[in-house]
Amino acid sequence: MSRKARQRKESLERERLGLPPDAPLPAAAPPDQSAPAPDPDRWGAFPWQWRVDGAWLLALAAAAFLLFANSLGNGFVYDDIPYIFENTRLDNWRDAGSFFRDTYTGEKTDGHYRPLTLWSWAIERGLFGNVPFPVHLTNVLLNAVCAALVYAFLALLLEDRRLAAVAAALWAAHPVHTEVVANGVGRSELGAMMFMLAAAVAHLVALRRADDWKRSLPWLAAGMAGYFAALLFKETPVTLPGLLFLAELIVIRRMKISEDFVVGVWRYVAYAVPLGIYLAMRASVIEVAAPAQQEVMFGQPKSVVFLYGNETLLRYLGQLAAPLHLSAEYSDYLNPVRSNLTDPMVAAAFVAWAVIGAGAWLLARRGERLPAFGAAWFFLGILPVSNIVIQIGTVRADRLLFMPSLGFAVVAAWFFLRALRPLRQGAYALLAVYLAFYCWRTFDRNTVWKTRDSLWTATIASNPGSAVGWGFVGDIARDRGDFAEAFDHYTRAFELRERLGFFYREANNHRASMLVKQGKDAEALELYLLSTRKVPDNHVAFVNGAEILLRTPDRRAEAVPLLERAAQLQPNDLAVNVNLAQAYRFSGRLEDAWQRILIAERLQPQNAAVKQVKTELEALRGR
């Protein structure tokens, strides 16, 4: 401060105190020694600075967007087809209430309630049409927001910008996220994760302001609202209150249960309000039904499924550490679920849990609490979808790791920045290589989800036991006109399910149709008749088998019972009624043929085939 400025300041102070211009100023009062000095190590002292932290938010969001930008040209593949492209329920986005009054698939026993996911797709269709680009653009943008929110959450919780930034970068770049971000139906995970993280950030702000309830309560309310919105995208964020409780206990309280911590438990109990509202809404549209069990684990007792769930968790951890083996479909009919305590992977899983638990506890006692927090986040986050507590009908999926992988990212960041601290620059070099590998693997994996051909070709390469994968590869060969190759692929799909005792009627029907394309009607007929015996409601098999019989003059009468059954299954099927009229005609049952063609005429009066058959029958009846 300059001399003139100091003199001016002193003059103003004398005026404030009412002293003469030349009177000396009283000495400053000594600091109050009775007041406790602020503790810089106390949680909540971390100063959020928008100039610094805002830059990190933008940088991480931009990096996440660029990393997944090559998925913007992806088409609709796999579950995108039935849930988005062919879903007529999305045609009226203005009727928002309809999405809250129905299940995810429209079936009351579906068991999934995700209204905000459906509504978001409906809005995109209403604004841009039924095309994939806006769906993928929204997914990439939501993922970018999630990356920024991961940093905000970890920075406030860990109060360490470096750790938060590295963990957020590792999470944002992880290749297991491609099934979520590069795939349209990943919207449910993205929306749930975004609102879940926003709720977690709001909760931490409420904790930082816990001394002033007027400033704290609005943030807690925001956290509860975010939790409710997350549940409306997907049910997996149900564990958020438990995750936040563990975050406070392990990181903030340093595993010390104090009186004010016990008193503050009401903050977590408060989340029962949005959870209760969500469950009530869900129960109003869903009929209780047992979860569908994957065929590869069908009929196995709960103990076997429990052991398999532990084995799968260990594979998940390996996949997070080294994401080399990724697949769109993990149901392996070559290796069905038959887990027992003597299996090496099952035994390794239980050893791993003991090592991880003991290691996290010992490190926490030494002041290194992040491994314990990361492990707690991973295990509690994935527990509802692990098949350990309940069977969910999915044996394994990359998308299930989207939220739990945050725990792994925290542990990985701790490992590079603290555990490898003695290596100094070497630790950063290893981190750079590891992160670069993630980025390369993610960028490459995004292209796998580009088309149906690229997805299923890669899937059967990674999982040759996927019956679904071989079925789709058969479709690819069929569409390019290679019927012999398509027949082989459909046969492969059929045999994989048959070896476990399941009749794959779709694959069998496709096999028969490929034989027809090759002029092998007799062989195709045998496959269709097999389907009619195995699956009495297989409408396609009855119709197509009957058409082959109608083309065989000495076997036309055999078509009648097949078509009569098809008419029972689908009375308004035009082709069935026309063919049945023809079958009756060939069997000499002209009156029955006439009644059937009249039914067909009522369905489509101007149809050319109907007119032709009716004319022929009129001529025969007039003789």
Side-chain angles (χ1 to χ4, degrees):
M1 182 183 296
S2 67
R3 180 180 177 185
K4 289 185 177 180
R6 186 170 61 255
Q7 289 176 344
R8 175 61 178 166
K9 182 179 178 181
E10 291 174 352
S11 176
L12 291 173
E13 182 66 14
R14 289 187 182 94
E15 290 180 8
R16 187 182 70 83
L17 296 174
L19 298 175
D22 56 348
L25 289 171
D32 185 4
Q33 300 297 326
S34 62
D39 181 7
D41 294 329
R42 184 182 65 85
W43 186 87
F46 174 78
W48 180 272
Q49 299 175 6
W50 279 106
R51 183 176 180 181
V52 177
D53 298 296
W56 275 117
L57 296 178
L58 292 175
L60 286 162
F65 182 91
L66 292 174
L67 185 56
F68 285 91
N70 66 329
S71 69
L72 294 175
N74 289 6
F76 286 136
V77 297
Y78 202 7
D79 286 341
D80 291 354
I81 305 299
Y83 293 148
I84 303 177
F85 183 67
E86 296 176 348
N87 193 349
T88 57
R89 294 188 297 156
L90 306 180
D91 291 338
N92 186 8
W93 68 273
R94 289 184 175 85
D95 186 13
S98 65
F99 302 109
F100 290 84
R101 295 189 299 269
D102 206 353
T103 65
Y104 189 48
T105 63
E107 299 290 337
K108 293 299 182 182
T109 56
D110 169 39
H112 300 98
Y113 182 64
R114 302 168 186 175
L116 288 185
T117 298
L118 291 169
W119 192 25
S120 68
W121 290 330
I123 292 173
E124 288 162 348
R125 179 178 296 186
L127 295 177
F128 307 107
N130 193 8
V131 291
F133 178 77
V135 176
H136 291 298
L137 177 60
T138 302
N139 277 17
V140 174
L141 288 171
L142 289 178
N143 185 62
V145 173
C146 285
L149 286 172
V150 166
Y151 171 81
F153 170 62
L154 294 179
L156 290 173
L157 176 65
L158 308 181
E159 300 192 326
D160 187 318
R161 289 188 175 90
R162 281 197 313 159
L163 271 170
V166 171
L170 289 168
W171 180 87
H174 207 292
V176 296
H177 297 171
T178 55
E179 183 176 351
V180 171
V181 186
N183 186 22
V185 294
R187 177 68 51 79
S188 57
E189 279 85 3
L190 286 162
M193 185 67 172
M194 182 182 72
F195 280 105
M196 179 180 177
L197 289 168
V201 170
H203 184 87
L204 291 181
V205 175
L207 289 181
R208 288 164 66 92
R209 301 179 177 182
D211 294 338
D212 186 347
W213 65 270
K214 289 184 178 180
R215 299 175 64 210
S216 177
L217 280 182
W219 286 100
L220 181 61
M224 295 165 62
Y227 179 52
F228 181 62
L231 291 170
L232 293 177
F233 267 98
K234 192 172 182 178
E235 56 278 359
T236 48
V238 67
T239 57
L240 177 62
L243 293 170
L244 293 175
F245 177 84
L246 290 174
E248 182 175 356
L249 175 63
I250 297 172
V251 179
I252 299 175
R253 302 288 177 173
R254 304 178 184 183
M255 296 185 173
K256 297 177 181 178
I257 300 179
S258 59
E259 182 178 350
D260 60 331
F261 175 54
V262 175
V263 171
V265 168
W266 68 269
R267 297 185 184 90
Y268 302 98
V269 177
Y271 284 93
V273 174
L275 177 60
I277 296 173
Y278 162 77
L279 291 176
M281 294 171 63
R282 183 180 184 275
S284 68
V285 299
I286 290 179
E287 295 179 2
V288 178
Q293 193 177 43
Q294 285 282 327
E295 290 176 348
V296 294
M297 65 169 64
F298 188 80
Q300 296 302 314
K302 292 182 179 180
S303 58
V304 172
V305 177
F306 171 80
L307 295 176
Y308 178 76
N310 280 274
E311 176 184 339
T312 301
L313 280 186
L314 184 60
R315 295 184 186 277
Y316 276 148
L317 287 177
Q319 196 173 25
L320 289 171
L324 297 172
H325 178 80
L326 301 174
S327 179
E329 232 287 316
Y330 287 99
S331 292
D332 187 353
Y333 285 79
L334 294 175
N335 298 286
V337 174
R338 301 290 187 270
S339 299
N340 58 70
L341 290 172
T342 62
D343 288 344
M345 285 297 295
V346 173
F350 287 111
V351 172
W353 309 154
V355 171
I356 291 172
W361 176 259
L362 292 174
L363 287 170
R365 288 177 62 90
R366 295 172 54 186
E368 298 289 353
R369 298 175 301 280
L370 294 193
F373 167 68
W377 183 283
F378 171 79
F379 284 106
L380 182 57
I382 205 168
L383 189 62
V385 292
S386 64
N387 285 306
I388 291 178
V389 178
I390 57 173
Q391 295 183 35
I392 65 167
T394 300
V395 293
R396 182 179 166 194
D398 292 349
R399 65 182 178 275
L400 301 181
L401 288 170
F402 191 63
M403 183 267 286
S405 61
L406 176 55
F408 175 83
V410 169
V411 176
W414 168 85
F415 177 76
F416 284 110
L417 296 184
R418 293 189 179 174
L420 296 184
R421 186 183 300 166
L423 296 181
R424 298 185 180 181
Q425 298 304 318
Y428 288 100
L430 289 174
L431 171 61
V433 171
Y434 196 59
L435 192 56
F437 165 68
Y438 270 16
C439 292
W440 165 79
R441 189 75 176 96
T442 296
F443 192 84
D444 179 67
R445 184 68 184 166
N446 289 340
T447 61
V448 169
W449 288 86
K450 190 174 184 65
T451 65
R452 177 193 62 174
D453 295 18
S454 60
L455 177 65
W456 295 112
T457 301
T459 297
I460 62 169
S462 62
N463 180 17
S466 171
V468 172
W470 284 108
F472 278 110
V473 171
D475 292 346
I476 295 169
R478 176 200 62 194
D479 293 347
R480 67 168 181 262
D482 195 337
F483 304 127
E485 181 181 338
F487 176 83
D488 291 340
H489 294 328
Y490 290 135
T491 299
R492 177 64 169 162
F494 178 84
E495 291 175 345
L496 282 170
R497 289 185 67 179
E498 187 180 42
R499 69 191 300 271
L500 296 185
F502 298 98
F503 186 81
Y504 200 170
R505 68 175 178 180
E506 292 83 4
N508 195 59
N509 290 344
H510 287 322
R511 289 199 302 164
S513 66
M514 293 303 97
L515 290 172
V516 171
K517 295 285 188 181
Q518 298 174 72
K520 302 177 180 180
D521 282 5
E523 296 176 43
L525 178 60
E526 292 303 315
L527 293 182
Y528 281 131
L529 293 178
L530 175 65
S531 280
T532 62
R533 293 192 297 271
K534 292 284 189 178
V535 188
D537 64 346
N538 192 345
H539 177 78
V540 171
F542 283 103
V543 174
N544 292 351
E547 288 181 349
I548 294 175
L549 291 170
L550 289 176
R551 294 196 298 268
T552 309
D554 59 341
R555 300 190 66 178
R556 286 172 174 169
E558 297 177 45
V560 172
L562 297 182
L563 289 169
E564 287 178 338
R565 176 57 180 161
Q568 291 176 350
L569 294 171
Q570 294 189 21
N572 295 326
D573 187 315
L574 180 70
V576 168
N577 286 285
V578 173
N579 286 338
L580 187 52
Q582 290 281 51
Y584 284 146
R585 170 194 168 189
F586 293 137
S587 301
R589 299 166 58 178
L590 293 182
E591 193 57 36
D592 289 337
W594 179 253
Q595 296 301 322
R596 187 57 59 173
I597 203 63
L598 291 180
I599 294 175
E601 186 178 43
R602 285 196 295 270
L603 293 172
Q604 289 191 26
Q606 303 303 318
N607 184 272
V610 172
K611 290 181 178 181
Q612 179 182 345
V613 174
K614 184 179 181 183
T615 300
E616 294 173 354
L617 289 173
E618 285 175 337
L620 291 173
R621 295 178 77 211
R623 290 179 182 176

